[in-house]
């Protein structure tokens, strides 16, 4: 498994790197036998984004860079840009990365919703909340739909693990690493992973505030970054669509869809559906980081356990609402507003 | 292309045959080099169902048999029955049948909606209707969504061309042939193909009525067969789900979904979504048979061109409504009622 993992990581790095070289480290060398990847060293001051978010550092270009990265990699591996023949060939190849897909299925879509050996949460504070997750039929109905979408829907070559630990940053560089879970899946899984992890960072901030810094301004910055990541993405994705409207993409043939009114309609519908997918997947990723097997440093590094539990509880309650009501949100601004209301 | 076509046809025949031997002819021999398939000869009085429907023959077991066939083949090649590992392996293999997928994309989801060289319709009677199809933005928005679902969603191993010309029947035998378009796609594409072609047969009947037989009773029989095909399918599919609820299927793990109330909820949701998919795909298949390249004998065999145009116009108008409003129907009975209202 570990060996094949490296193979698919390299395939994804190369493909995404060719589409968005500014935000993907170059691969210099790959030895499949040894599972050895030689890639660009992201020199200091590059650090893992999650650590920067815990430290309260602002990254003024993050939203624009991540919007660009997601738009380029997702648009250009989808049927908006490629023929069915190219698409199916690539889908078939990445079907081989099934072991890592199964791992995601388990830890994201299954473990939090039943008794699983390695589930944990801040106890006893969240005992009843963790139990509620297992007993919430509507939540489980929605999660099942997301799980099937994750397995069945080959929409684009996704990174597959796009949390804030898979991004390295400086004040003007943003680099996405570690796409070992890459395969043809739903675009919203990547977008949701990133937005969901920003929201986890937001809810964790009260646990990192102290007398020097109440983190109020930083919380605002995270929320505005969440908003503008989606908005940059949406703008860029739409621009790519417009630029490539006469291209080889199989989804919307120019002879059928090249009237401006209809293109507007199709773009609005595609992006609203994608927002809903992203919110659902993002919420599922948040939940699993609070009551599942793998937690995040954003919360884990909060020393005061009561404070930490408060932060996690807010995030969990918000995520459950988001997952169950994802389709009631029409804009990212409404999502951010709702997040604020849960941070009391 | 022709050679690979036979290969995938045999793969699909064997798989579906193993799951539903009563309704799939046995393959005795396959020579891949020669593209030669040896299979059970469906002896007379077996005839192609479409011809029986034109002749006004009733098949009392058709609905039950087709419900059984679709439930067995679709359920047992889906994630309700299989692990992700099995599923992805099979998905990857059938990605190879891309040439035939592309053909479907073109003739079902594209040609009717733009000027295409071989499009035809009963002219001049349907000139304005054919033009309307090309100018109906909402219709084209919905068709685009179906097309993407057709390409992206690997839900089950579908037959891929399940019209009434791919079924051979006697009064007590029903055999499904010719799955050369088989691949992992949306279940609703098969169900919709079959139901949509029954509805084409329904709308064609007024063109076949004469003084001996006004076809009124036969129209009723077609509609009740349409209804019961879906209902038998739904009952059988649900029964298979119940029987296999503790099996290896990855979609709904028993530890999460085995409370009766939740299983009911998930089944209702799955089957309502599937009905909507089926209606959308079925409507698209109807439309393409009236204004696209390949027509059906049900209408083509109506000698009086005015009568034929009247029949086709009703079918086309109904199909457009069905496609645009598929999600407003909650039961197959509502669909059948709507079809009657268009047959004036
Ligand atoms: N190209 C790189 N340049 C610098 N540091 C890197 C690079 N790739 C990974 N790292 C460091 O190594 C850590 C682990 O790498 P990662 O690819 O995320 O592996 P894992 O699959 O174990 O999560 C990262 O968190 C980061 O600190
Ligand atoms: N197993 C069979 N037994 C008897 N007749 C068959 C059988 N398979 C096909 N046929 C006859 O041959 C015709 C064409 O077969 P089909 O598989 O539908 O080919 P095509 O791909 O050309 O549509 C059918 O319409 C039917 O009349
Ligand atoms: Mg990593
Ligand atoms: Mg890695
Ligand atoms: Mg990793
Ligand atoms: Mg045939
Ligand atoms: Mg054939």
């Amino acid at each position: 498994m570990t060996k094949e993992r490296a193979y698919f990581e390299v395939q994804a790095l190369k493909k995404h790197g060719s589409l968005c070289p500014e935000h993907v480290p170059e691969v210099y060398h790959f030895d499949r036998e040894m599972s050895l990847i030689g890639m660009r060293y992201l020199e200091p001051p590059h650090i893992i984004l999650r650590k920067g978010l815990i430290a309260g550092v602002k990254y003024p270009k993050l939203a624009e860079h991540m919007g660009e990265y997601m738009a380029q990699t997702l648009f250009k591996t989808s049927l908006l840009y490629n023929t069915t023949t190219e698409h199916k060939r690539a889908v078939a190849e990445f079907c081989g990365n099934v072991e890592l897909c199964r791992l995601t299925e388990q830890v994201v879509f299954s473990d939090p919703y039943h008794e699983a050996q390695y589930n944990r949460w801040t106890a006893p504070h969240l005992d009843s909340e963790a139990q509620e997750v297992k007993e919430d039929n509507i939540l489980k109905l929605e999660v099942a739909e997301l799980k099937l979408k994750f397995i069945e829907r080959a929409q684009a070559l996704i990174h597959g693990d796009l949390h804030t630990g898979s991004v390295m940053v400086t004040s003007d560089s943003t680099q996405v690493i570690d796409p070992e879970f890459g395969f043809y899946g739903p675009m919203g899984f990547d977008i949701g992973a990133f937005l969901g992890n920003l929201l986890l960072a937001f809810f964790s901030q009260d646990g990192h505030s102290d007398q020097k810094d109440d983190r109020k301004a930083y919380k605002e910055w995270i929320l505005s970054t969440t908003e503008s990541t989606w908005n940059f993405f949406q703008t860029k994705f739409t621009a790519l669509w417009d630029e490539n409207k006469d291209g080889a993409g199989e989804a919307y043939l120019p002879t059928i869809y090249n009237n401006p009114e209809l293109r507007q309609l199709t773009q609005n519908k595609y992006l609203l559906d994608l927002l809903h997918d992203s919110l659902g997947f993002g919420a599922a990723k948040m939940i699993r980081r609070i009551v599942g097997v793998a937690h995040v440093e954003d919360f884990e590094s909060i020393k005061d356990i009561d404070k930490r539990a408060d932060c996690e509880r807010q995030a969990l309650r918000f995520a459950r609402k988001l997952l169950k009501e994802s389709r009631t949100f029409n804009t990212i601004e409404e999502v951010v507003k709702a997040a604020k209301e849960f941070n009391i």
Side-chain angles (χ1 to χ4, degrees), chain A:
Chain A
M1 173 165 140
T2 316
K3 283 180 77 165
E4 279 318 74
R5 183 192 281 233
Y7 173 75
F8 289 108
E9 179 165 351
V10 167
Q11 296 311 109
L13 278 170
K14 284 188 174 168
K15 183 70 191 176
H16 286 169
S18 75
L19 301 172
C20 190
E22 303 85 350
H23 304 301
V24 180
E26 192 180 342
V27 175
Y28 302 130
H29 178 77
F30 176 55
D31 183 328
R32 193 166 179 175
E33 272 307 296
M34 303 286 288
S35 298
L36 192 85
I37 310 176
M39 71 171 89
R40 177 187 157 196
Y41 172 61
L42 300 165
E43 69 293 342
H46 277 102
I47 61 165
I48 287 289
L49 172 58
R50 194 186 299 286
K51 295 196 184 287
L53 294 169
I54 294 167
V57 183
K58 293 180 186 172
Y59 296 96
K61 296 191 176 158
L62 180 64
E64 188 173 353
H65 287 172
M66 288 303 294
E68 171 82 15
Y69 164 81
M70 294 191 297
Q72 292 287 358
T73 57
L74 299 177
F75 182 89
K76 290 188 176 167
T77 58
S78 78
L79 289 157
L80 291 162
Y81 190 71
N82 298 296
T83 65
T84 307
T85 308
E86 294 159 342
H87 195 77
K88 288 212 188 255
R89 195 208 48 71
V91 169
E93 167 158 31
F94 279 94
C95 278
N97 204 13
V98 58
E99 282 310 320
L100 289 206
C101 289
R102 287 177 68 94
L103 190 55
T104 301
E105 285 170 38
Q106 185 194 322
V107 297
V108 177
F109 300 108
S110 298
D111 282 352
Y113 307 94
H114 62 179
E115 312 281 343
Q117 193 181 356
Y118 298 108
N119 278 352
R120 61 186 178 86
W121 52 83
T122 303
H125 310 65
L126 297 189
D127 285 356
S128 68
E129 309 266 345
Q131 192 55 32
E132 277 176 39
V133 167
K134 298 190 190 73
E135 288 168 3
D136 186 338
N137 279 353
I138 303 302
L139 191 72
K140 296 202 283 183
L141 188 66
E142 291 293 330
V143 166
E145 195 168 325
L146 290 170
K147 180 178 177 179
L148 280 176
K149 198 173 272 183
F150 177 78
I151 310 177
E152 292 174 349
R153 185 164 185 205
Q155 192 178 19
L157 176 58
I158 66 175
H159 176 286
D161 196 26
L162 194 54
H163 55 78
T164 51
S166 295
V167 181
M168 294 190 73
V169 283
T170 68
S171 59
D172 46 34
S173 165
T174 306
Q175 303 292 326
V176 177
I177 60 169
D178 202 19
E180 62 195 343
F181 286 79
F183 78 111
Y184 276 75
M187 296 178 181
F189 192 77
D190 272 6
I191 303 167
F194 190 69
L195 300 181
N197 275 270
L198 286 182
L199 290 167
L200 288 176
F202 165 74
F203 283 108
S204 76
Q205 291 301 318
D206 291 339
H208 299 299
S209 70
D210 54 29
Q211 286 181 326
K212 284 198 314 263
D213 184 358
D214 64 9
R215 299 272 178 137
K216 281 218 174 94
Y218 197 61
K219 288 201 285 187
E220 285 300 325
W221 178 81
I222 296 181
L223 291 185
S224 95
T225 297
T226 306
E227 250 180 57
S228 29
T229 299
W230 170 264
N231 287 328
F232 273 118
F233 166 78
Q234 172 157 25
T235 302
K236 184 70 201 182
F237 193 90
T238 308
L240 287 170
W241 189 326
D242 288 340
E243 279 164 37
N244 292 283
K245 68 185 168 49
D246 298 312
E250 206 82 59
Y252 300 89
L253 300 186
T255 45
I256 306 177
Y257 292 95
N258 264 354
N259 81 63
E261 191 196 339
L262 180 53
R263 193 159 67 254
Q264 185 89 53
L265 274 173
T266 52
Q267 290 177 343
N268 290 351
K269 179 153 199 335
Y270 197 100
L271 282 153
L272 185 59
D273 286 345
L274 185 49
L275 177 64
H276 294 160
D277 278 7
S278 302
L279 299 179
F281 285 121
K285 302 275 265 180
M286 292 176 75
I287 291 170
R288 76 102 158 186
R289 294 297 194 178
I290 300 169
V291 297
V293 42
H295 286 230
V296 286
E297 204 181 326
D298 311 64
F299 295 125
E300 299 285 292
S301 61
I302 300 171
K303 300 229 171 57
D304 179 330
I305 191 170
D306 299 320
K307 262 197 188 178
R308 174 172 139 194
D310 286 342
C311 294
E312 290 174 324
R313 188 181 297 106
Q314 286 176 7
L316 182 59
R317 288 185 180 172
F318 172 71
R320 280 175 65 187
K321 179 194 167 73
L322 196 59
L323 209 161
K324 291 198 275 190
E325 298 170 20
S326 61
R327 282 177 291 269
T328 66
F329 292 92
N330 286 307
T331 63
I332 191 72
E333 286 74 15
E334 290 170 25
V335 179
V336 160
K337 185 160 167 282
K340 269 188 196 155
E341 287 163 11
F342 276 77
N343 179 231
I344 29 118

